[in-house]
mmCIF file of all heavy atoms in Angstrom:
data_model
loop_
_atom_site.group_PDB
_atom_site.id
_atom_site.type_symbol
_atom_site.label_atom_id
_atom_site.label_comp_id
_atom_site.label_asym_id
_atom_site.label_seq_id
_atom_site.Cartn_x
_atom_site.Cartn_y
_atom_site.Cartn_z
ATOM 1 N N ALA A 79 23.032 23.498 21.447
ATOM 2 C CA ALA A 79 22.131 22.472 22.002
ATOM 3 C C ALA A 79 20.754 22.632 21.372
ATOM 4 O O ALA A 79 20.222 23.725 21.277
ATOM 5 C CB ALA A 79 22.041 22.603 23.508
ATOM 6 N N ASP A 80 20.200 21.510 20.952
ATOM 7 C CA ASP A 80 18.838 21.465 20.396
ATOM 8 C C ASP A 80 17.920 20.998 21.514
ATOM 9 O O ASP A 80 17.974 19.824 21.913
ATOM 10 C CB ASP A 80 18.808 20.521 19.197
ATOM 11 C CG ASP A 80 17.413 20.269 18.710
ATOM 12 O OD1 ASP A 80 16.577 21.186 18.770
ATOM 13 O OD2 ASP A 80 17.126 19.131 18.256
ATOM 14 N N VAL A 81 17.096 21.882 22.030
ATOM 15 C CA VAL A 81 16.253 21.594 23.191
ATOM 16 C C VAL A 81 14.805 21.366 22.733
ATOM 17 O O VAL A 81 14.249 22.153 21.980
ATOM 18 C CB VAL A 81 16.304 22.758 24.217
ATOM 19 C CG1 VAL A 81 15.455 22.438 25.436
ATOM 20 C CG2 VAL A 81 17.747 23.035 24.614
ATOM 21 N N ALA A 82 14.211 20.289 23.235
ATOM 22 C CA ALA A 82 12.823 19.997 22.875
ATOM 23 C C ALA A 82 11.922 21.112 23.385
ATOM 24 O O ALA A 82 12.021 21.529 24.531
ATOM 25 C CB ALA A 82 12.405 18.668 23.499
ATOM 26 N N PRO A 83 10.992 21.595 22.548
ATOM 27 C CA PRO A 83 10.085 22.673 22.977
ATOM 28 C C PRO A 83 9.014 22.209 23.942
ATOM 29 O O PRO A 83 8.451 23.023 24.668
ATOM 30 C CB PRO A 83 9.473 23.143 21.644
ATOM 31 C CG PRO A 83 9.573 21.969 20.734
ATOM 32 C CD PRO A 83 10.822 21.245 21.118
ATOM 33 N N VAL A 84 8.740 20.914 23.963
ATOM 34 C CA VAL A 84 7.726 20.360 24.874
ATOM 35 C C VAL A 84 8.441 19.804 26.103
ATOM 36 O O VAL A 84 9.477 19.120 25.973
ATOM 37 C CB VAL A 84 6.922 19.252 24.177
ATOM 38 C CG1 VAL A 84 5.966 18.555 25.158
ATOM 39 C CG2 VAL A 84 6.147 19.812 22.998
ATOM 40 N N PRO A 85 7.947 20.089 27.324
ATOM 41 C CA PRO A 85 8.607 19.577 28.539
ATOM 42 C C PRO A 85 8.619 18.060 28.570
ATOM 43 O O PRO A 85 7.578 17.404 28.648
ATOM 44 C CB PRO A 85 7.751 20.144 29.666
ATOM 45 C CG PRO A 85 7.048 21.328 29.075
ATOM 46 C CD PRO A 85 6.795 20.957 27.647
ATOM 47 N N VAL A 86 9.786 17.476 28.479
ATOM 48 C CA VAL A 86 9.993 16.029 28.581
ATOM 49 C C VAL A 86 11.275 15.786 29.377
ATOM 50 O O VAL A 86 12.049 16.711 29.629
ATOM 51 C CB VAL A 86 10.137 15.383 27.185
ATOM 52 C CG1 VAL A 86 8.827 15.456 26.412
ATOM 53 C CG2 VAL A 86 11.273 16.031 26.385
ATOM 54 N N ARG A 87 11.512 14.567 29.724
ATOM 55 C CA ARG A 87 12.766 14.223 30.349
ATOM 56 C C ARG A 87 13.891 14.336 29.300
ATOM 57 O O ARG A 87 13.678 14.084 28.130
ATOM 58 C CB ARG A 87 12.733 12.784 30.873
ATOM 59 C CG ARG A 87 11.746 12.560 32.000
ATOM 60 C CD ARG A 87 11.724 11.078 32.359
ATOM 61 N NE ARG A 87 10.659 10.778 33.289
ATOM 62 C CZ ARG A 87 10.199 9.553 33.477
ATOM 63 N NH1 ARG A 87 10.716 8.532 32.833
ATOM 64 N NH2 ARG A 87 9.221 9.365 34.352
ATOM 65 N N SER A 88 15.065 14.682 29.784
ATOM 66 C CA SER A 88 16.228 14.801 28.887
ATOM 67 C C SER A 88 15.873 15.651 27.679
ATOM 68 O O SER A 88 15.841 15.170 26.532
ATOM 69 C CB SER A 88 16.701 13.413 28.433
ATOM 70 O OG SER A 88 17.051 12.608 29.548
ATOM 71 N N ARG A 89 15.617 16.950 27.929
ATOM 72 C CA ARG A 89 15.101 17.817 26.880
ATOM 73 C C ARG A 89 16.091 18.128 25.781
ATOM 74 O O ARG A 89 15.686 18.552 24.691
ATOM 75 C CB ARG A 89 14.582 19.123 27.498
ATOM 76 C CG ARG A 89 13.313 18.948 28.286
ATOM 77 C CD ARG A 89 12.730 20.272 28.707
ATOM 78 N NE ARG A 89 12.160 21.040 27.616
ATOM 79 C CZ ARG A 89 11.478 22.151 27.771
ATOM 80 N NH1 ARG A 89 11.285 22.656 28.980
ATOM 81 N NH2 ARG A 89 10.989 22.797 26.723
ATOM 82 N N ILE A 90 17.378 17.949 26.023
ATOM 83 C CA ILE A 90 18.353 18.185 24.952
ATOM 84 C C ILE A 90 18.323 17.009 23.989
ATOM 85 O O ILE A 90 18.751 15.903 24.308
ATOM 86 C CB ILE A 90 19.763 18.395 25.520
ATOM 87 C CG1 ILE A 90 19.792 19.659 26.393
ATOM 88 C CG2 ILE A 90 20.770 18.518 24.376
ATOM 89 C CD1 ILE A 90 21.154 19.957 26.996
ATOM 90 N N ARG A 91 17.800 17.258 22.809
ATOM 91 C CA ARG A 91 17.659 16.195 21.821
ATOM 92 C C ARG A 91 18.945 15.921 21.058
ATOM 93 O O ARG A 91 19.258 14.798 20.704
ATOM 94 C CB ARG A 91 16.549 16.575 20.822
ATOM 95 C CG ARG A 91 15.201 16.860 21.466
ATOM 96 C CD ARG A 91 14.146 17.239 20.460
ATOM 97 N NE ARG A 91 14.467 18.471 19.754
ATOM 98 C CZ ARG A 91 13.628 19.090 18.917
ATOM 99 N NH1 ARG A 91 12.414 18.575 18.699
ATOM 100 N NH2 ARG A 91 13.978 20.221 18.314
ATOM 101 N N THR A 92 19.710 16.998 20.806
ATOM 102 C CA THR A 92 20.912 16.900 19.997
ATOM 103 C C THR A 92 21.912 17.959 20.449
ATOM 104 O O THR A 92 21.513 19.061 20.860
ATOM 105 C CB THR A 92 20.591 17.139 18.505
ATOM 106 O OG1 THR A 92 19.558 16.266 18.095
ATOM 107 C CG2 THR A 92 21.808 16.889 17.619
ATOM 108 N N GLU A 142 8.756 24.221 14.018
ATOM 109 C CA GLU A 142 8.626 23.018 14.821
ATOM 110 C C GLU A 142 8.177 23.287 16.249
ATOM 111 O O GLU A 142 7.274 22.620 16.766
ATOM 112 C CB GLU A 142 9.944 22.241 14.831
ATOM 113 C CG GLU A 142 9.830 20.929 15.609
ATOM 114 C CD GLU A 142 11.179 20.298 15.918
ATOM 115 O OE1 GLU A 142 12.167 21.064 16.053
ATOM 116 O OE2 GLU A 142 11.235 19.065 16.080
ATOM 117 N N ALA A 143 8.789 24.267 16.914
ATOM 118 C CA ALA A 143 8.466 24.541 18.313
ATOM 119 C C ALA A 143 6.981 24.881 18.469
ATOM 120 O O ALA A 143 6.295 24.360 19.360
ATOM 121 C CB ALA A 143 9.335 25.659 18.854
ATOM 122 N N LEU A 146 4.765 21.672 17.760
ATOM 123 C CA LEU A 146 4.787 20.642 18.799
ATOM 124 C C LEU A 146 4.076 21.092 20.066
ATOM 125 O O LEU A 146 3.347 20.315 20.690
ATOM 126 C CB LEU A 146 6.225 20.250 19.109
ATOM 127 C CG LEU A 146 6.962 19.469 18.019
ATOM 128 C CD1 LEU A 146 8.392 19.159 18.472
ATOM 129 C CD2 LEU A 146 6.243 18.174 17.661
ATOM 130 N N THR A 147 4.284 22.352 20.466
ATOM 131 C CA THR A 147 3.620 22.822 21.677
ATOM 132 C C THR A 147 2.110 22.883 21.477
ATOM 133 O O THR A 147 1.336 22.590 22.410
ATOM 134 C CB THR A 147 4.152 24.219 22.107
ATOM 135 O OG1 THR A 147 4.077 25.115 20.988
ATOM 136 C CG2 THR A 147 5.604 24.107 22.554
ATOM 137 N N PRO A 177 4.767 14.585 22.155
ATOM 138 C CA PRO A 177 5.443 14.793 20.876
ATOM 139 C C PRO A 177 6.832 15.380 21.125
ATOM 140 O O PRO A 177 6.959 16.415 21.791
ATOM 141 C CB PRO A 177 4.524 15.765 20.140
ATOM 142 C CG PRO A 177 3.795 16.513 21.228
ATOM 143 C CD PRO A 177 3.653 15.534 22.363
ATOM 144 N N LEU A 178 7.848 14.751 20.597
ATOM 145 C CA LEU A 178 9.236 15.173 20.867
ATOM 146 C C LEU A 178 9.842 15.965 19.719
ATOM 147 O O LEU A 178 10.568 16.946 19.944
ATOM 148 C CB LEU A 178 10.098 13.948 21.147
ATOM 149 C CG LEU A 178 11.586 14.229 21.357
ATOM 150 C CD1 LEU A 178 11.807 14.925 22.697
ATOM 151 C CD2 LEU A 178 12.387 12.926 21.272
ATOM 152 N N ALA A 179 9.546 15.571 18.492
ATOM 153 C CA ALA A 179 10.200 16.218 17.345
ATOM 154 C C ALA A 179 9.344 15.969 16.098
ATOM 155 O O ALA A 179 8.610 14.996 16.008
ATOM 156 C CB ALA A 179 11.605 15.662 17.137
ATOM 157 N N ARG A 188 7.936 10.819 22.427
ATOM 158 C CA ARG A 188 8.721 10.422 23.605
ATOM 159 C C ARG A 188 7.804 9.635 24.528
ATOM 160 O O ARG A 188 6.769 10.156 24.988
ATOM 161 C CB ARG A 188 9.286 11.672 24.293
ATOM 162 C CG ARG A 188 9.847 11.483 25.693
ATOM 163 C CD ARG A 188 11.073 10.585 25.757
ATOM 164 N NE ARG A 188 12.161 10.961 24.890
ATOM 165 C CZ ARG A 188 13.075 11.885 25.183
ATOM 166 N NH1 ARG A 188 13.023 12.535 26.319
ATOM 167 N NH2 ARG A 188 14.059 12.140 24.317
#
Side-chain angles (χ1 to χ4, degrees):
D80 171 35
V81 182
V84 174
V86 292
R87 295 176 188 162
S88 302
R89 289 188 71 172
I90 297 180
R91 303 179 297 188
T92 307
E142 183 194 28
L146 290 180
T147 53
L178 176 71
R188 167 65 54 84

